[in-house]
Amino acid sequence: MARRQNITEPVKAERPRPRVLIVSGNRTVQKRTEAPIAISILNAQTIKDTRANQLDQLLNKVTGVFMVDLGNEQHEMSIRQPMSTQSLFLYLEDGLPIRTTGIYNHNALLEMNMTATRQIEIIRGPASSLYGAEAVGGAVNVITQPSPVVSNGNPGAQGISTGYLSVQGNNNGYKRADGQVGIRAGKWGFIASGYYANRTDGPIQYSDFHKTAVTFRADYKASDRLTWTNSLTYVNYYSDMYGSLDSVHFAQKNYNTPYSFTYRKVHALRARSQLDYRWNEHGETRAILAYRDNSTGQNPSYYIKNNATDPSLADGQINNSSFHSFLALVQHQQKFDWMGSKLIAGISADISPSTYVANYIRNSWGNAAPLVTPGQVAKARRNE
C-alpha cells in the first residue's frame, strides 16, 4: 500500500509592482492608479526596446490609438476616433502645448525630438476640462529626459554620467544618427539630445526629406525642495510631398508621381524656464515661462487640382503659417488629509500673434510652358 505524503512548499512573496507615476492626469506628478482618466504610458524601457524611427511605431502600441503614417514622419491621428486631420487632439511637451490654441496642425508631432523622450503619456478620450478645447479627443504628452542631477540620486556623482551615439541606415535611402550626453557638476545637471535623419532616392519618386532635432536641458537642484529647469528645443524639417498613389499604380509597383515641386518645410523653436518648489509634504508650487517660435511653409500636393477650363493646367497654393508665443503659467497644488483630497489652482497667460500668407499658383502639365517655374518655387522656399 502506497503511503500518502504531505508535501508543503514555502510560498514565495510576490514582488511589489513598481510605482508608475504620471503628470498628464492633473498637470502634477501622481500615481497612475489615482488618475481619474483613461491614460496609457510608454515608459523608457518600452521606448528603448522598440528602437522606433518614428513616433507612430510607438503610439500604435497603445490600445485605441492609431497614428497614420503619411511618410517622412508626417501623420494623421486617431484616438478612439475615426482617422482624421481635424483639430481633435492636443500635443504637449512636458505638459505644455507645442502649438498655441487655434493653430492646429495634424502633423505637429514631427516637431518633437524623439531622442530626448523619456516617457510618453496618452490620454485616450476627452481632456478639455484640463487642457482646453483642442483636447476634445485626447492628448499626447511627451516627457523629456531630465539631466543627471535629477535622474541620478547620488549627490557625489560628477562628470559625464550618461551618453550614447548610434548610426543606422537601410537600402531604402534612409540614414540616421542619434546622440545623447549628460553631465553633472555639483548642483547643476546638463543633458543634450538630438538626431539627424534624411532619405534620398527612396522607393517612391520625389520622397526625399531631412530633419534635425536638438534639445538642451539644464537643471539646478538647489535643495530637496527647490528645482530650476531650463530647456531649449529646435527642429528643422523638410520633406517632398509626393502625393498619393492610386490602386492601379500601387498594384503595378509604379511609384512615379507628377508632384515633383510640392514640399513641406518646418522650423520650430521652444524655450522654457520652470521653477518647482515644495513647501511641505502637502503643498507645492510651479511657475513656468515659455517661448515658442514656429513656421510651417508648404506647397502641398493636396492643393494641386486640374484647372476647370484648361486640362493642360493645374492650380495650387504656396502658403506659410507662423506664430511666436509668450507663455506664463503658475500652478499650486494643496493636499488635504480629508478623504485624500487635493486642490489644484492656477493661472496662465498666452500671447501668440500669428500670420498666414497664401499665394495661389498655376502650373502646366505636359509640354506647355509652366506659369510657375521651378525657380519661382525655390524662391518661395527660401523666403519662408
Side-chain angles (χ1 to χ4, degrees), residues 2 23 186 191 253:
V23 296
I191 189 167
K253 297 185 178 181

PDB file of all heavy atoms in Angstrom, residues 2 23 186 191 253:
ATOM      1  N   ALA A   2       0.566   2.128  -0.907  1.00  0.00           N
ATOM      2  CA  ALA A   2       1.376   3.346  -1.003  1.00  0.00           C
ATOM      3  C   ALA A   2       1.025   4.294   0.131  1.00  0.00           C
ATOM      4  O   ALA A   2      -0.145   4.446   0.510  1.00  0.00           O
ATOM      5  CB  ALA A   2       1.144   4.033  -2.340  1.00  0.00           C
ATOM      6  N   VAL A  23       2.155  62.575 -15.136  1.00  0.00           N
ATOM      7  CA  VAL A  23       1.947  64.006 -14.897  1.00  0.00           C
ATOM      8  C   VAL A  23       0.792  64.556 -15.703  1.00  0.00           C
ATOM      9  O   VAL A  23       0.367  65.683 -15.484  1.00  0.00           O
ATOM     10  CB  VAL A  23       3.232  64.813 -15.241  1.00  0.00           C
ATOM     11  CG1 VAL A  23       4.362  64.434 -14.330  1.00  0.00           C
ATOM     12  CG2 VAL A  23       3.618  64.624 -16.698  1.00  0.00           C
ATOM     13  N   GLY A 186      28.180  69.405  -9.544  1.00  0.00           N
ATOM     14  CA  GLY A 186      27.615  69.940  -8.316  1.00  0.00           C
ATOM     15  C   GLY A 186      26.102  69.866  -8.334  1.00  0.00           C
ATOM     16  O   GLY A 186      25.518  68.806  -8.566  1.00  0.00           O
ATOM     17  N   ILE A 191      22.075  68.081 -20.050  1.00  0.00           N
ATOM     18  CA  ILE A 191      21.888  66.970 -20.971  1.00  0.00           C
ATOM     19  C   ILE A 191      21.560  67.533 -22.350  1.00  0.00           C
ATOM     20  O   ILE A 191      20.802  68.500 -22.482  1.00  0.00           O
ATOM     21  CB  ILE A 191      20.781  66.004 -20.489  1.00  0.00           C
ATOM     22  CG1 ILE A 191      20.757  64.745 -21.356  1.00  0.00           C
ATOM     23  CG2 ILE A 191      19.431  66.672 -20.437  1.00  0.00           C
ATOM     24  CD1 ILE A 191      19.938  63.622 -20.784  1.00  0.00           C
ATOM     25  N   LYS A 253       3.336  48.405 -58.811  1.00  0.00           N
ATOM     26  CA  LYS A 253       4.580  48.856 -58.191  1.00  0.00           C
ATOM     27  C   LYS A 253       5.208  50.011 -58.962  1.00  0.00           C
ATOM     28  O   LYS A 253       6.420  50.123 -59.106  1.00  0.00           O
ATOM     29  CB  LYS A 253       5.576  47.705 -58.044  1.00  0.00           C
ATOM     30  CG  LYS A 253       5.082  46.601 -57.116  1.00  0.00           C
ATOM     31  CD  LYS A 253       6.128  45.528 -56.898  1.00  0.00           C
ATOM     32  CE  LYS A 253       5.621  44.465 -55.925  1.00  0.00           C
ATOM     33  NZ  LYS A 253       6.626  43.406 -55.674  1.00  0.00           N
TER      34      LYS A 253
END
